Amino acid sequence: MKNKLFNARLYQDFLKQLRLPAIIFAVLALVVSLLVPVISFVQQYTSGEVFPMGMPSISSVTPMLVFLMFLAPVTLVISAFSFLNKRSSSDYYHSLPNTRLCTFLSAISAVLTWLYAIVLATVLITTLTYNLLGLPMNNGYIPYLLGTFLSGMT
């Protein structure tokens, strides 16, 4: 019997398949987003001023996510459906008892899972970094950043 809409094992397989590019995007997003508060903290420590850069603007809190919002979904979808470019992989996936819709929804669900995880981790870790270093940040940015990037990557 064919799976009609969603296959959890196929979803897990796509999550494993997308692990490397997703982790690369996550590391890039975190490193670049953490540079802003660390540089601000070092500048504050060396200059002796209380807050030399002031309150960060909403675009400077997670700058890499703006770039990744356009690049990551395309790259992850291409990676997820790369099995269509190889004969042996294509034959394998088409031999599974899944409909095309089931394969599509399982792959897209895996892509969205990785994208949402990257956005959530980047925003939360960056916010924690600002708070732990004692730098000023408007915590009202958090819902805006999450809403903007999660809807933008969908």
Side-chain angles (χ1 to χ4, degrees), residues 95-109:
S95 71
L96 296 174
N98 298 314
T99 61
R100 291 178 185 173
L101 180 63
C102 177
T103 304
F104 174 76
L105 290 178
S106 298
I108 293 300
S109 297

Side-chain angles (χ1 to χ4, degrees), residues 5-78:
L5 288 177
F6 187 78
N7 185 344
R9 289 187 182 182
L10 189 59
Y11 167 75
Q12 290 174 347
D13 186 43
F14 280 120
L15 282 176
K16 288 179 187 175
Q17 182 180 343
L18 296 172
R19 183 175 36 207
L20 180 64
I23 289 175
I24 290 172
F25 283 129
V27 167
L28 280 173
L30 284 171
V31 167
V32 172
S33 294
L34 290 178
L35 281 177
V36 176
V38 169
I39 289 172
S40 179
F41 181 75
V42 169
Q43 186 177 10
Q44 173 185 338
Y45 184 73
T46 57
S47 70
E49 295 180 35
V50 178
F51 298 118
M53 295 178 72
M55 179 83 66
S57 67
I58 198 160
S59 62
S60 68
V61 174
T62 54
M64 191 63 177
L65 283 182
V66 175
F67 175 68
L68 287 181
M69 187 169 64
F70 299 106
L71 182 65
V74 173
T75 306
L76 290 177
V77 168
I78 288 172

Side-chain angles (χ1 to χ4, degrees), residues 55-59 61 123 137-146:
M55 179 83 66
S57 67
I58 198 160
S59 62
V61 174
V123 170
M137 183 188 154
N138 185 354
N139 287 330
Y141 290 169
I142 297 169
Y144 174 80
L145 290 170
L146 290 176

